[in-house]
Amino acid sequence: MIIGCSRSRSAWASSTTYARRWLSPGECRTILGANGITLEYPVLRHANNLESVLTYEGTSEVHQLVIGQALTGENAFS
Amino acid sequence: MSRTGPLELLGIDHLLTEEERDIQATVREWVEQRVKPNIADWYERGDLDLALMREAGDLGLLGMHLEGYGCAGANAVSYGLACLELEAGDSGVRSMVSVQGSLAMFAIWKFGSEEQKTTWLPKMAAGEAIGCFGLTESDFGSNPAGMRTRAKRDGDDWVINGTKMWITNGSVADVAVVWAQTDDGIKGFIVPTDTPGFSAPKITKKLSLRASVTSELVLEDVHLPRDAVLPDVTGLRGPLCLPERGAIRHRLRCPRRGARLSGNRDRLRHLARGVRPAARLSAAHSGKAGGHDVGAAEGIPAGAAPGTAQR
């Protein structure tokens, strides 16, 4: 039961990691020039918000172990 | 044949029902009007306008996936779409709504007594009472089983001591759902935030989620009556697994589907208010949501999947 829940959260965390990579400090920010560093544009605000996803609702590493256990049946937590 | 719109992130819009699309459009419009024009200021200030909670309650967004007690009774897909739109505004606003609905309200709805539900849920659904959810501690984030917060018996009553960390909505909450070790395992407690011994200092100097209230909860000899405990759960099964399981079981019930409504916002309000009697009457639960399978709707099309994220 717990594994099922965490797995869906993990998929969500992975996709947000992907979004982070796009936003900062890559194309989405630099295409705006210097304006890209201000709050007049949402890019760095979103990138900073997504930083929290790496640790909230369990760290990415723990989520990774949960996924591993769901896929392989192996408990690698300790 | 379906065409994927330029703003579709996942290319799933063709799987959505009319109601689901309406709900998404309503929330998007609210975010455009209320969040986007103000978010730069809130973010810079490290705060957000608490009036948003009432407005979100008015729209039916709080505890949107729950049934009865003033909640909208929408399906999991609708709730997901609403959160997606809030998140597109700002994570802090989405966090405000999802902590209220999926964590604080859901815990009470799922594990609470009838009296606890009728006391708190209608006010929380309306945004008149703000809830927070105290699970994690500074040394126990991913491993909440090690929590140090402890509730001890004092006759029939309880006394809680401990601190919780990174609690969204903590400093502005009227009620906290706090998880604590007891002699019988981990249990949940409903703690009104005006209880003597309870305080919730705000965490400052954040560089992320700035438009969100994040707090520490401090409980020093907080005395609670016997009926403060959530009766229907013991152990981490409660705090870890509640949101998704509950959400998926509930389907959208709009009593007047197809009725002409003056606009999207009215439609969601109608959903929030008009659905209540229908939800109470309807005891049947179904694994299907809005006429199609939840799993299929939540599945990301292979072509749109971002691939394995690696760091």
Side-chain angles (χ1 to χ4, degrees):
Chain A
M1 194 163 67
I2 288 171
I3 287 172
C5 288
S6 299
R7 192 165 52 183
S8 63
R9 287 183 180 172
S10 300
W12 173 56
S14 298
S15 58
T16 46
T17 301
Y18 186 74
R20 279 178 66 246
R21 218 164 34 187
W22 263 14
L23 290 172
S24 171
E27 286 177 35
C28 294
R29 190 318 249 168
T30 54
I31 206 166
L32 294 165
N35 293 303
I37 69 158
T38 70
L39 277 169
E40 293 300 313
Y41 295 88
V43 178
L44 276 189
R45 175 169 55 81
H46 284 311
N48 274 11
N49 283 339
L50 289 169
E51 189 68 26
S52 292
V53 182
L54 294 179
T55 46
Y56 75 17
E57 303 193 2
T59 65
S60 295
E61 289 78 9
V62 167
H63 281 301
Q64 196 168 21
L65 292 168
V66 170
I67 295 171
Q69 187 176 25
L71 290 175
T72 67
E74 295 289 331
N75 176 349
F77 286 86
S78 55
Chain B
M1 283 295 284
S2 63
R3 251 186 38 216
T4 304
L7 295 179
E8 278 193 57
L9 196 59
L10 299 173
I12 59 164
D13 282 12
H14 63 286
L15 296 169
L16 305 176
T17 64
E18 190 190 342
E19 272 85 2
E20 288 161 359
R21 273 186 257 241
D22 275 350
I23 287 169
Q24 183 173 26
T26 304
V27 180
R28 183 175 294 181
E29 186 195 322
W30 183 68
V31 167
E32 289 292 334
Q33 289 176 3
R34 283 293 284 129
V35 178
K36 290 193 177 172
N38 299 306
I39 189 62
D41 287 338
W42 295 335
Y43 200 91
E44 193 156 59
R45 242 172 38 211
D47 208 349
L48 83 172
D49 184 355
L50 284 177
L52 289 178
M53 194 65 108
R54 284 288 193 105
E55 293 173 32
D58 246 13
L59 279 171
L61 297 177
L62 305 176
M64 177 178 167
H65 57 312
L66 308 179
E67 281 183 14
Y69 309 99
C71 304
N75 66 359
V77 173
S78 301
Y79 184 41
L81 292 168
C83 285
L84 187 148
E85 293 301 327
L86 296 171
E87 183 82 34
D90 189 79
S91 306
V93 177
R94 191 271 312 145
S95 194
M96 177 194 84
V97 168
S98 64
V99 165
Q100 173 91 347
S102 286
L103 299 180
M105 289 177 72
F106 192 92
I108 296 169
W109 184 88
K110 175 79 175 166
F111 302 121
S113 67
E114 193 56 34
E115 195 188 339
Q116 290 167 340
K117 292 180 201 180
T118 50
T119 300
W120 289 107
L121 292 179
K123 280 190 279 189
M124 293 171 83
E128 289 162 12
I130 297 178
C132 68
F133 188 82
L135 173 65
T136 51
E137 302 180 1
S138 52
D139 290 330
F140 300 95
S142 291
N143 177 29
M147 69 173 68
R148 293 201 181 97
T149 299
R150 184 151 188 100
K152 287 185 175 165
R153 283 282 191 184
D154 177 23
D156 276 348
D157 297 348
W158 294 93
V159 182
I160 305 187
N161 277 286
T163 57
K164 298 289 177 182
M165 195 63 175
W166 309 114
I167 310 304
T168 299
N169 294 351
S171 310
V172 296
D174 300 288
V175 61
V177 174
V178 174
W179 299 89
Q181 305 273 8
T182 73
D183 289 342
D184 302 322
I186 291 170
K187 284 190 168 289
F189 295 85
I190 298 182
V191 185
T193 55
D194 58 3
T195 310
F198 181 97
S199 58
K202 188 171 163 176
I203 296 167
T204 57
K205 303 186 176 76
K206 287 183 297 175
L207 288 171
S208 178
L209 288 173
R210 286 185 56 76
S212 174
V213 176
T214 315
S215 314
E216 179 182 9
L217 306 185
V218 181
L219 298 101
E220 290 173 325
D221 287 329
V222 171
H223 281 256
L224 295 169
R226 176 177 50 180
D227 60 8
V229 69
L230 295 172
D232 292 342
V233 66
T234 300
L236 280 178
R237 171 178 82 81
L240 287 189
C241 210
L242 29 85
E244 292 95 334
R245 278 181 61 77
I248 285 168
R249 271 195 281 123
H250 300 286
R251 44 189 288 268
L252 179 71
R253 291 191 184 88
C254 191
R256 277 187 264 159
R257 188 186 160 125
R260 246 183 105 75
L261 296 167
S262 57
N264 285 335
R265 178 166 298 197
D266 284 347
R267 188 174 282 236
L268 187 51
R269 282 199 176 124
H270 172 76
L271 174 68
R273 299 200 173 115
V275 82
R276 287 171 200 164
R280 272 197 291 273
L281 288 172
S282 176
H285 292 263
S286 162
K288 301 263 182 177
H292 53 73
D293 188 70
V294 175
E298 287 180 345
I300 299 169
T308 309
Q310 291 176 339
R311 282 183 302 283

